[in-house]
Amino acid sequence: MTAMKVLSKGRLAVAGVVLSVLVVGSPPAVADSAASAKLFTGGGRGPTAAVAIQSAIDDAETSAAAEQLYTCALLGEPQVFESFNDPNFGHVFRAEATVSCTP
């Protein structure tokens, strides 16, 4: 083998190690941004499940906005509860939704 081939293989090995360190070093940076996210749970009511869910999401996002957190994403599935004999509304849906918000 010539010295040039050995040298180029050595550079590839170093580049591979540096790339591995960068990739392995990235998850803590992602975890830090996830750690700074706050969770907000909102509740809503409506004549349909979809309206109740949207109302719950809006409620949670309004709470987050009070803390100047405007970028929110739904976390998990909203919970929907159906009531057939509500004394004020009769047949009504209620929902609960949790959002994760960051500045």
Side-chain angles (χ1 to χ4, degrees), residues 10-61:
R11 285 185 185 164
L12 288 176
V14 171
V17 170
V18 170
L19 183 60
S20 297
V21 170
L22 290 175
V23 170
V24 171
S26 295
V30 172
D32 288 341
S33 67
S36 66
K38 290 180 111 180
L39 302 180
F40 295 87
T41 300
R45 177 186 76 230
T48 66
V51 170
I53 290 169
Q54 188 59 52
S55 179
I57 292 170
D58 291 344
D59 182 48
E61 289 177 344

Side-chain angles (χ1 to χ4, degrees):
M1 231 185 227
T2 67
M4 188 61 145
K5 285 187 178 180
V6 172
L7 183 59
S8 65
K9 284 186 180 181
R11 285 185 185 164
L12 288 176
V14 171
V17 170
V18 170
L19 183 60
S20 297
V21 170
L22 290 175
V23 170
V24 171
S26 295
V30 172
D32 288 341
S33 67
S36 66
K38 290 180 111 180
L39 302 180
F40 295 87
T41 300
R45 177 186 76 230
T48 66
V51 170
I53 290 169
Q54 188 59 52
S55 179
I57 292 170
D58 291 344
D59 182 48
E61 289 177 344
T62 300
S63 297
E67 295 188 27
Q68 297 180 350
L69 301 173
Y70 300 108
T71 305
C72 298
L74 185 61
L75 188 67
E77 291 290 321
Q79 294 182 344
V80 179
F81 309 95
E82 186 174 11
S83 174
F84 292 98
N85 57 354
D86 185 87
N88 296 318
F89 303 104
H91 183 218
V92 67
F93 291 87
R94 291 185 176 82
E96 177 182 292
T98 301
V99 296
S100 173
C101 301
T102 56

